[in-house]
Amino acid sequence: MAIAIFPGSFDPVTNGHLDIIRRAAALFDELVVAVLDNPNKKGRFPPEARVDMLRRVTTAWPNVRAERFSGLLVKYAQRCGARVIVRGLRAANDFEYEFQMAQLNRGMSEAVETLFMMTAPQYAYVSSSGVREIAALGGDITPLVPGALLREIREACEEIPAAN
Ligand code: ADP
């Protein structure tokens, strides 16, 4: 059985993430969407809320499950029985970071392969940080996030006090 994991912050999940999830789910028997719980990097949404949002918007794909994880990615991949780490690539500036991570992970385990999937052009400029920023400033995030999450993402981001 071919199992892959798609790790990330998902703070919050965007339509760009969802497109990668849909495409990767079609390639593997099982896709584990892994929400990195990094105690040194507190996100806007608590990890359990990010997992919950992911679960709600991936119900259409029975072979997709969302989980929270901490620690080393390659170890987590091995615990899941995954031989593939899926990552999305948007613009050239994603490449440097992704290249470095993939090499470091390869150094720790050659048994786990990192596979990159190109963004669909309509999502090339969609990022969680962009969503948080636009929502906090009262902009329209409708095209950027799943409709079912629109309200709670907007409300959570609007709570950020305006910086001046
Ligand atoms: P991280 O902090 O690990 O980069 P993100 O939640 O920002 O976590 O992204 C998780 C993965 O999804 C990364 O591989 C990222 O490149 C990919 N990704 C994010 N946004 C998009 C998008 N709009 N199109 C394609 N891939 C994306």
Side-chain angles (χ1 to χ4, degrees):
M1 182 145 108
I3 304 171
I5 74 170
F6 179 37
S9 308
F10 305 102
D11 188 35
V13 58
T14 68
N15 286 338
H17 293 131
L18 217 52
D19 184 59
I20 299 286
I21 292 171
R22 177 185 63 79
R23 288 159 56 199
L27 296 175
F28 295 95
D29 297 309
E30 208 178 283
L31 182 73
V32 182
V33 183
V35 175
L36 175 63
D37 187 354
N38 183 349
N40 299 321
K41 192 175 149 195
K42 215 176 143 276
R44 167 78 280 200
F45 294 86
E48 57 274 20
R50 297 183 223 164
V51 171
D52 180 64
M53 287 191 280
L54 277 161
R55 286 186 180 150
R56 280 153 51 206
V57 296
T58 54
T59 50
W61 305 296
N63 62 334
V64 174
R65 69 188 154 92
E67 275 183 5
R68 179 176 166 175
F69 86 103
S70 55
L72 271 183
L73 180 58
V74 287
K75 283 200 179 153
Y76 179 73
Q78 279 158 351
R79 279 207 302 278
C80 292
R83 290 187 51 201
V84 173
I85 294 169
V86 171
R87 294 284 290 174
L89 277 182
R90 283 162 295 185
N93 59 332
D94 275 348
F95 179 80
E96 287 289 334
Y97 173 75
E98 295 294 340
F99 185 73
Q100 185 183 358
M101 291 301 295
Q103 299 304 345
L104 288 171
N105 286 331
R106 182 199 301 275
M108 287 182 274
S109 171
E110 284 199 1
V112 182
E113 193 70 57
T114 304
L115 184 82
F116 294 102
M117 296 182 70
M118 289 297 158
T119 184
Q122 66 269 38
Y123 303 123
Y125 298 100
V126 180
S127 66
S128 297
S129 58
V131 164
R132 294 194 303 269
E133 204 160 317
I134 292 169
L137 297 171
D140 183 16
I141 55 168
T142 310
L144 310 179
V145 298
L149 306 177
L150 192 57
R151 194 157 147 207
E152 70 185 273
I153 292 176
R154 197 190 288 139
E155 285 175 359
C157 294
E158 279 174 354
E159 284 166 16
I160 305 169
N164 50 55

